[in-house]
Amino acid sequence: MNRLRGPWNVPDPDLRPVLVLALDGASFDVIEPLIAEGRLPHLAAWMKEGCGRRLPSTTPPVTFPAWSSFMTGLTPSQHGIFDFSQKVPGQYRIRFVNASDRQGRSIQSAVSGAGGQALVLGLPATFPPEKMEGLLVPGFDAPVSTGTDAEATSHPELYRRIAAKAGHWMRPDMDESATGAGFHETAMQTLLTRIDRKTEFVLTALDEMRNHYQKSNPDLTIVVFSESDTAGHHYWRDHDPQSPRHDPTASPQRQEALAKIYERLDHACGRIRQAFGEEAVCVVLSDHGMGGASNYIVHLNAFMAQAGFLTRRRSAVRLERALARGARDLALRLLPARLSQAIFRKARGAAGRVESAVRFGGLDWSRTLAFSEEVNTQPGIWINLQGREKEGCVAEGDYEAVRDRLIAQLLDWRLPNGQAVVASARRREEVHPGPFMERAPDIVVELALDQGYGLSLVPTPWREGETTGSPPSIQKLEGDALAGGRGRGMNGTHRQDGIFIATGAGEALVRARAMEPGSLVEVARELARAMGLPWQAEPSVAAVPPRSY
C-alpha cells in the first residue's frame, strides 16, 4: 500500500536507494599510488569490482559552480553560478552568491517531488536550503558560530535530534589563513578528527532518518567530505617531493598528511557504506581534481597595465582600497576563526563591499580598457564597455577589436623559462553559451601548467601612492612564501579532472557498472537512472534580475 509522506502529499515511490560519498577535490593522482601501496582497501576493491574513471569538472573547476552542476545537471551558464562571488552588472563591485542565485531543479528536490526522501550533508552552494523531504545540511557556506545552525538546515527539528547525539556537522575548528609555527601539524590532526566526527554524524543521521520515516534508507544520500580539498591545498608540496614548492625539511607528519587524510576518508567511506547496505549503488566522486602549484604567481592587472589596457590613478580611492585591504587582512589574521566566519556569513553585503574596494579600487576608469577581478577561482577579464559599465570607455564598435588584441597578447605572455602563462583565452560565448553567459567575464582565461604545476593568479600588489610603473606581472616565490597563503596562492591547486567510482552488490553492481557520466554535469542523470527516478535537467527559464546587496 502506498503511504503519503510529509508536505509533498505524494505516495512513496519505488525508488532504489543510492549512496553518494563525495570527496571534495579528490584526485586519482593521489588515490592510485596509495592503492598500489595497499593503503586504500575500500576504494581499491570498489574500483576493481565496479568502475572507476576520471570525471571532467566544470569551467571553472571550482566548488560552487561544480557542485551546482552536480546537483542540477546544468552547466554554469544554465544554472547561473560561476564562482563564490559575482560581479554586479554595471558596477565595479562584487556580491557573494548563495543557493538563491541558482536556477534549475536539484536532484534532491526531484527525489522529494517524486515522494522520496533525501539525506544531504555538507553539500556546498545549498544555503539557504531548499524545501525537501528529508534533511539537507548545507556545506561551509551556511551560518556557523559554535556549530551548524539548526535553522540553516531544511529540517531543524530532525537536525537537533541528530546533533544532540553526534554533535554538530560543522564547527569552526580551523583557521585556514593561519601561518604560524606548527600550524600544519595541528591542522592535520584537526582534519582527521573532523572526518571521524562527520562519520559519526552520518551514521546517527541514517538511524534517525530510518526512525523518522519508517523505512530502511533514504532514497538518496549525499555526504560531502571537504577535508580532501583542504588537505590538497595545504599539503601537496609536502606530499610531492618533485613540487617546486617542496620543503625538504618538512616534518614526517606533514609529509604523510595528505596520505593520512585519504586513508581516513577511505575508512569513513567503508563504514558508511556498510551501515547503508552494500546491496545499494554506491558512488564515490569529486567535484574537481587537485595538483601541485608552481613557484610562480601571476598578476593579470599588472600585465594589462604594462600592455596599456589598464591605468591607475592617484586619489582618495587608492587610500580607501589600501584601508579596505588592510581591514580585511587584519580581521582574517586577528579574529578567531568562528567569529570571522560568522561575520562573513551573516554580513555578506558588507563583506562584498569591502572585497569590492580591494579588487577594483584605484583604477582610472576613463583610461582603463579592461580589468580583472584577479581571483584564482575564476581567471577572467572584463572589458570596460560603454553603456554596460558605470564608467565604460570602450565603444561598442571597438569591443571585439579590444578583445582580439588582448587575447593575442595573453597567449604571447611567457614565464622567464619560456613557458606560456596562459593555456587558453577564449571569448565567453565560446565557453559559456546559455542564459547566464553575461555573468561570466568577457574573456575566460585558463592558466597554463608550468612543467606540470599550476600557476596561481593573485591580486596585483600595487604600491599605493605611486602613479608610474607597476609591479612585475610574474613573481617567483622563494623561502617561506612557497608555503602559500594570501597573496601567494595555495601550494595545491585545482585541476579539471575529478574522480568517479561506482560499485554495488548483485543487481546494484550491474547498474553501477552501467554508469558512464562524461562529465560532472551528467552525474545527476546517471544517479536518477540508477534510482529509477524520472529525470530531465531543467534549464533556466530566463535570466533573473540580480539581487540587491
Side-chain angles (χ1 to χ4, degrees):
M1 179 176 68
N2 285 333
R3 293 164 292 172
L4 297 183
R5 292 289 185 186
W8 295 94
N9 198 33
V10 293
D12 265 342
D14 293 323
L15 297 180
R16 299 179 291 261
V18 168
L19 171 65
V20 178
L21 301 170
L23 311 181
D24 198 302
S27 170
F28 279 128
D29 291 342
V30 179
I31 289 172
E32 289 173 347
L34 292 178
I35 285 178
E37 295 173 13
R39 299 176 67 173
L40 305 179
H42 296 103
L43 295 184
W46 300 348
M47 289 176 65
K48 183 177 181 180
E49 66 193 19
C51 66
R53 57 173 54 85
R54 294 182 183 270
L55 186 69
S57 184
T58 52
T59 299
V62 177
T63 299
F64 264 33
W67 286 123
S68 297
S69 290
F70 157 79
M71 70 180 92
T72 64
L74 302 173
T75 64
S77 63
Q78 292 173 320
H79 60 61
I81 294 182
F82 290 84
D83 197 1
F84 300 106
S85 63
Q86 175 64 52
K87 181 182 172 299
V88 177
Q91 302 291 324
Y92 303 115
R93 65 185 183 91
I94 60 101
R95 58 180 177 84
F96 290 101
V97 306
N98 61 29
S100 65
D101 293 284
R102 188 186 74 239
Q103 300 295 298
R105 191 182 197 188
S106 71
I107 189 165
Q108 59 265 23
S109 176
V111 168
S112 294
Q117 297 83 42
L119 172 63
V120 182
L121 301 176
L123 184 60
T126 55
F127 178 80
E130 60 195 310
K131 177 183 177 182
M132 55 169 274
E133 188 67 17
L135 175 64
L136 188 159
V137 180
F140 61 83
D141 47 315
V144 176
S145 52
T146 57
T148 298
D149 185 347
E151 296 302 321
T153 72
S154 68
H155 198 318
E157 178 189 352
L158 181 56
Y159 176 83
R160 290 190 185 98
R161 292 207 303 266
I162 299 167
K165 297 179 179 179
H168 286 294
W169 170 256
M170 284 189 64
R171 301 174 193 174
D173 51 9
M174 179 177 168
D175 179 6
E176 294 192 36
S177 65
T179 57
F183 162 75
H184 286 92
E185 285 77 3
T186 303
M188 181 189 73
Q189 188 56 53
T190 299
L191 292 173
L192 293 172
T193 300
R194 188 189 290 177
I195 293 168
D196 292 341
R197 189 179 70 239
K198 287 182 176 180
T199 302
E200 294 303 323
F201 189 100
V202 175
L203 301 181
T204 303
L206 287 172
D207 285 340
E208 288 296 323
M209 287 280 288
R210 289 164 182 149
N211 292 334
H212 188 81
Y213 290 103
Q214 293 298 296
K215 59 189 296 184
S216 59
N217 272 317
D219 299 289
L220 175 63
T221 298
I222 301 173
V223 181
V224 181
F225 287 99
S226 60
E227 290 70 26
S228 39
D229 181 78
T230 302
H233 283 304
H234 283 279
Y235 296 105
W236 195 278
R237 75 171 187 148
D238 300 320
H239 171 80
D240 176 12
Q242 303 304 315
S243 168
R245 295 194 182 203
H246 183 66
D247 178 6
T249 67
S251 66
Q253 295 98 317
R254 280 171 50 187
Q255 293 179 32
E256 275 287 291
L258 190 59
K260 292 289 186 184
I261 296 297
Y262 273 68
E263 282 184 316
R264 191 66 59 89
L265 288 169
D266 179 86
H267 179 69
C269 288
R271 290 187 65 197
I272 295 170
R273 186 185 174 207
Q274 183 179 39
F276 194 84
E278 297 187 357
E279 69 280 358
V281 168
C282 174
V283 170
V284 182
L285 56 76
S286 64
D287 55 331
H288 54 74
M290 188 72 68
S294 167
N295 54 351
Y296 284 106
I297 59 175
V298 299
H299 311 293
L300 259 178
N301 282 340
F303 170 80
M304 288 191 288
Q306 293 163 8
F309 291 94
L310 179 148
T311 303
R312 298 267 294 163
R313 66 182 176 187
R314 184 200 302 271
S315 71
V317 174
R318 298 181 67 183
L319 177 60
E320 291 170 9
R321 177 183 183 275
L323 291 174
R325 182 179 58 197
R328 179 199 65 186
D329 293 350
L330 187 65
L332 290 173
R333 188 167 63 252
L334 297 182
L335 291 177
R338 66 179 59 185
L339 181 56
S340 62
Q341 291 174 24
I343 290 172
F344 171 78
R345 292 182 176 101
K346 295 184 178 181
R348 291 174 185 266
R353 287 189 289 274
V354 171
E355 187 65 26
S356 298
V358 173
R359 295 190 193 183
F360 302 127
L363 297 185
D364 183 346
W365 297 112
S366 67
R367 295 191 293 161
T368 291
L369 305 180
F371 58 96
S372 174
E373 297 177 52
E374 292 191 305
V375 286
N376 200 45
T377 46
Q378 186 185 200
I381 294 172
W382 295 91
I383 303 301
N384 196 23
L385 184 63
Q386 285 181 2
R388 185 186 70 180
E389 306 299 345
K390 185 176 181 180
E391 299 179 52
C393 66
V394 175
E396 185 177 352
D398 295 330
Y399 174 76
E400 291 298 348
V402 172
R403 276 208 301 184
D404 290 345
R405 186 155 51 95
L406 190 44
I407 287 172
Q409 294 198 37
L410 286 167
L411 296 177
D412 285 340
W413 193 10
R414 292 290 183 270
L415 295 171
N417 61 14
Q419 296 284 317
V421 171
V422 173
S424 69
R426 294 179 286 172
R427 297 163 184 79
R428 65 182 181 183
E429 59 270 24
E430 298 171 1
V431 183
H432 296 298
F436 292 100
M437 177 191 72
E438 292 188 355
R439 291 185 181 180
D442 295 288
I443 299 174
V444 178
V445 176
E446 179 188 355
L447 296 176
L449 296 179
D450 172 24
Q451 302 181 66
Y453 292 89
L455 297 171
S456 297
L457 171 62
V458 301
T460 300
W462 300 109
R463 293 181 285 269
E464 305 301 335
E466 294 186 12
T467 56
T468 59
S470 67
S473 61
I474 299 171
Q475 180 183 350
K476 185 175 183 179
L477 300 179
E478 297 178 346
D480 292 343
L482 292 169
R486 184 170 295 280
R488 301 182 297 276
M490 305 304 292
N491 68 74
T493 60
H494 291 185
R495 295 292 191 273
Q496 180 64 221
D497 286 347
I499 69 168
F500 183 87
I501 300 168
T503 190
E507 187 269 337
L509 180 58
V510 176
R511 286 185 281 120
R513 289 173 173 170
M515 300 178 80
E516 296 183 345
S519 70
L520 187 65
V521 176
E522 298 178 4
V523 169
R525 179 198 69 197
E526 296 296 312
L527 294 177
R529 183 181 299 165
M531 283 188 286
L533 173 72
W535 169 264
Q536 183 173 353
E538 299 179 3
S540 308
V541 176
V544 296
R547 293 175 292 123
S548 175
Y549 279 76

